[in-house]
Every structure is written in C-alpha cells, then in structure tokens.
C-alpha cells in the first residue's frame, strides 16, 4: 500500500474527522486556533486511489533565535495505528516535517494498551503491596499496542518520560473513562459507588441545580477556576485562553465545547467545561468554590454531564488524566479516588514519543527544558 502525504485544507481535515466515530479534541483543525502561540498545519495521508485515509494536526513551536521547530501532534496523528505497514505512514510524515524545518517531532499515538476496572483498582488500593496502577493485573490488554510500540522503537522513536518535559503541555498517559456504549443509564448509575450515589441524592435533596452556561459566563467560570488554582497550587490559565477556546471550537462546531455550573440558592459552587468530538465526550476542566461542598455540587454536575453525554449518543465519557500512583499519601490520590467512584475504567495510552531529526538540537532542547 503506497501512501502519499501532503498539506490539506482545514475543510478537508474537518470533513475527515467528521467521517470517523471519534478523534481527540486536540486533532480537530480548530485546536490550532486554541494554541495560537504555535504555527499549525493540517496533514493528510492519501491512498493510491487518491482517497484521504488519515489526518494530523501539527503544531510548530519555534526554538528561541533559530528558524527551527519542534513539531508536535498532540494525541495524534489520526491514522490506522494497527496497519501492518506503519512505516509507510510514519516515514512520509517525518520527511515532510524535516522539510518544514522541524528538528524534533513529538506525537501521542491515540492507542490504549491496558484497562483496569474500578473494582480491580479498589482492591489494589486496599493492598499495601500495590503502589501503582501497573502493579494491578489489567482487566484488558491490547496486544497490538505492544507491536506498535515495538515498531516505533525500531524506527528510532524514543518513548517520552511519563509526564516528561514537553515543550508546552504533556498529555496524560493515564486517563479515567466511563464506557457508555451498549449500556443503559440505570446500569451506569448502578455502577457508581455508594458514596457517589449518596452524594448525588444529597445534592438533589438540597436543591442543587445544574445549568449550562455560554460565552458570557466564562468570567464566572474563571472566578471559580482561580479559587481552585489557589487551593490546589497550580498556575491557572488566563480568561482569554478559555474565551479563545470557546470561540475557536464552537465556530468549528456549535456543540464542540460546553460550560456547566452547579448552583445552590442561586450561587455557583462548581463549574466544568466539556468537549465533544463524535462519540467521545471529555470532562476537560473543573473548578469549585471552597464553600458549599456539603451539598455535593461536583457529583451533581458530573452526573448531569454524563447524562447529557449519553443523550448525545456518546460511547465514552472521559474524565481525562489521573496519576498512576495508588499511594494514599500522594497529593493526586484524591483525584483517582473521586474518578474511580464513577465505576468506570482507568486506561493507559502508549504515551508520547519523540523522534530527534537533529540529535544535537534535540539534546539542547532537553537540557533547556530540564533547567526550567
């Protein structure tokens, strides 16, 4: 199978993504507008008959003072990763990116290796010998994923460190997902742990209401998000980022991004953003106030978002990143505990991979990043 690769228009790119069951929200053309500080390009793979069979959004970040770039395909490219001739897909991409002045390529194959059910994770948490997800036997293993990793290594790709220093955002290797395909909502609700079900009921009894917001509500979102940032010790993104995200994504597809608030007695207590690409729905950013936690606004909001995802015909509700640490003293442990309560599954992706086109510059970048 001979494949050719060339730059495609955003329209072609979007039409291709829309023809698929789903793709990462970071591989839609509009994501380029969200990441305005990067130069971007849409790539297309064509088969012999001239049909578009794969696409990738590339973000280019220029090295300080040099006309050389890091080329980044977050959670992409969107190609047939299990093709026997993976080389025929990857080589033309590397050649093209080199021509564009890339000194290094970073990509995140959207390939899941392992899955663990909530019940297995719960048992693992109770076992003092279990420190990480990997210490628990997986409930599902994708053997083809190991072949992909093998092929990439043989081509000269290097596996990035878990949560390693990316130029910009490193995508989570471990995520938590609630599968919705071929399940009733009753079944999904039954799978929540007791605490979740109790908290949803508590919020209902207290009169918590969950509403959808619009662009004009992003300032209120930002207020809650900045309270969260102070509490959880992270650097918040500016309001302009979320405004840009809203405008860019929803002008591509009016239902690409949503905003939710859980309120009690007219006061917003928690908020979240939701992203939708085909059958894949993500809970992307969350925020909450320091007050009003006793009425369980976050549980109420998640349950509403999950029901809305279900009504959209989603096959998966994705709660995004978790740490793989199951150590109760770990500061991220609360996050996995909260997500495990939904009765879904933890999933491990292949992670991010780097290909140094210029070994010297690649090494210099690594050094520069490690000192930051």
């Amino acid at each position: 199978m001979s494949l050719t690769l060339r730059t495609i228009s955003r329209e072609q790119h979007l039409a291709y993504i829309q023809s698929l069951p789903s793709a990462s929200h970071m591989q839609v053309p509009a994501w380029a507008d969200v990441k305005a500080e990067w130069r971007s390009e849409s790539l297309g793979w064509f088969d012999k008959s001239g049909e578009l069979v794969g696409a990738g959004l590339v973000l280019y970040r220029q090295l300080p003072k040099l006309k050389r770039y890091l080329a980044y395909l977050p959670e992409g490219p969107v190609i047939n990763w299990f093709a026997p001739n993976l080389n025929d897909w990857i080589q033309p991409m590397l050649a093209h990116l080199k021509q564009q002045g890339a000194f290094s390529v970073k990509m995140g194959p959207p390939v899941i290796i392992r899955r663990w059910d909530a019940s297995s994770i719960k048992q693992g948490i109770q076992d003092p010998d279990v420190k990480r997800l990997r210490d628990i036997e997986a409930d599902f293993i994708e053997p083809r994923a190991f072949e992909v990793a093998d092929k990439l290594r043989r081509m000269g790709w290097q596996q990035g460190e878990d949560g390693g220093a990316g130029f910009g955002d490193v995508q989570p290797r471990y995520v938590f997902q609630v599968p919705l395909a071929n399940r009733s909502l009753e079944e999904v609700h039954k799978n929540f742990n007791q605490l979740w079900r109790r908290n949803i009921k508590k919020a209902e009894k207290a009169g918590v209401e969950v509403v959808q917001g619009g662009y004009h509500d992003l300032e209120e979102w930002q207020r809650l998000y900045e309270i969260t940032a102070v509490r959880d010790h992270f650097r918040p993104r500016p309001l302009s980022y979320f405004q840009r995200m809203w405008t860019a994504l929803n002008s591509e597809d009016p239902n690409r991004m949503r905003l939710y608030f859980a309120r009690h007695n007219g006061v917003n207590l928690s908020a979240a953003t939701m992203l939708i690409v085909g059958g894949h729905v993500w809970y992307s950013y969350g925020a909450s106030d320091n007050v009003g936690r006793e009425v369980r606004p976050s549980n109420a909001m998640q349950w509403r978002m999950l029901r809305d995802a279900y009504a959209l015909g989603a096959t998966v509700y994705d709660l995004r990143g978790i740490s793989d640490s199951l150590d109760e003293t770990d500061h991220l442990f609360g996050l996995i505990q909260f997500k495990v309560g939904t009765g879904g599954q933890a999933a491990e992706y292949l992670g991010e991979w780097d290909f140094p086109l210029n070994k010297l510059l690649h090494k210099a970048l690594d050094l520069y990043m490690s000192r930051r």
Side-chain angles (χ1 to χ4, degrees), residues 58 62 73 106 202:
V58 188
Q62 192 171 347
L73 295 96
K106 183 184 276 297
K202 205 181 232 177

Side-chain angles (χ1 to χ4, degrees), residues 118 122 178 180 183 185-198 200 299 302-304 306-307 317 319 338-344:
K122 246 185 288 190
V178 180
L180 300 177
R183 296 176 76 198
L185 263 181
E186 292 72 44
E187 230 178 297
V188 173
H189 184 264
K190 233 196 241 126
N191 243 12
F192 282 173
N193 71 12
Q194 229 176 340
L195 185 64
W196 262 84
R197 291 202 300 268
R198 222 180 17 238
I200 291 168
N299 298 88
Q302 288 295 343
W303 177 226
R304 162 73 192 271
L306 212 148
R307 292 200 316 267
Y317 180 69
L319 292 128
F338 177 74
K339 294 179 181 182
V340 164
T342 61

Side-chain angles (χ1 to χ4, degrees), residues 46-68:
F46 294 84
D47 67 11
K48 269 207 286 273
S49 66
E51 195 191 338
L52 184 59
V53 290
L57 176 71
V58 188
L59 302 173
Y60 293 99
R61 174 65 73 92
Q62 192 171 347
L63 262 187
K65 301 190 185 60
L66 286 174
K67 267 259 183 277
R68 301 303 291 277

Side-chain angles (χ1 to χ4, degrees), residues 153-173:
R153 270 188 212 101
R154 283 206 296 270
M155 284 180 220
W157 287 83
Q158 301 163 2
Q159 196 159 16
E161 297 299 314
D162 279 3
F167 213 73
D169 317 348
V170 172
Q171 303 319 320
R173 178 154 186 185

Side-chain angles (χ1 to χ4, degrees), residues 112 114-118 121 133 174-177 322 336 344-348:
I112 287 176
R114 300 178 181 85
R115 290 183 191 275
W116 294 265
D117 293 337
I121 299 170
L133 262 178
Y174 295 89
V175 300
F176 204 86
Q177 301 176 337
I322 50 172
I336 191 167
Q345 304 170 320
E348 179 192 356

Side-chain angles (χ1 to χ4, degrees), residues 288-304:
S288 61
D289 206 332
N290 296 327
V291 297
R293 299 183 145 217
E294 67 287 346
V295 295
R296 306 299 178 201
S298 293
N299 298 88
M301 186 172 62
Q302 288 295 343
W303 177 226
R304 162 73 192 271

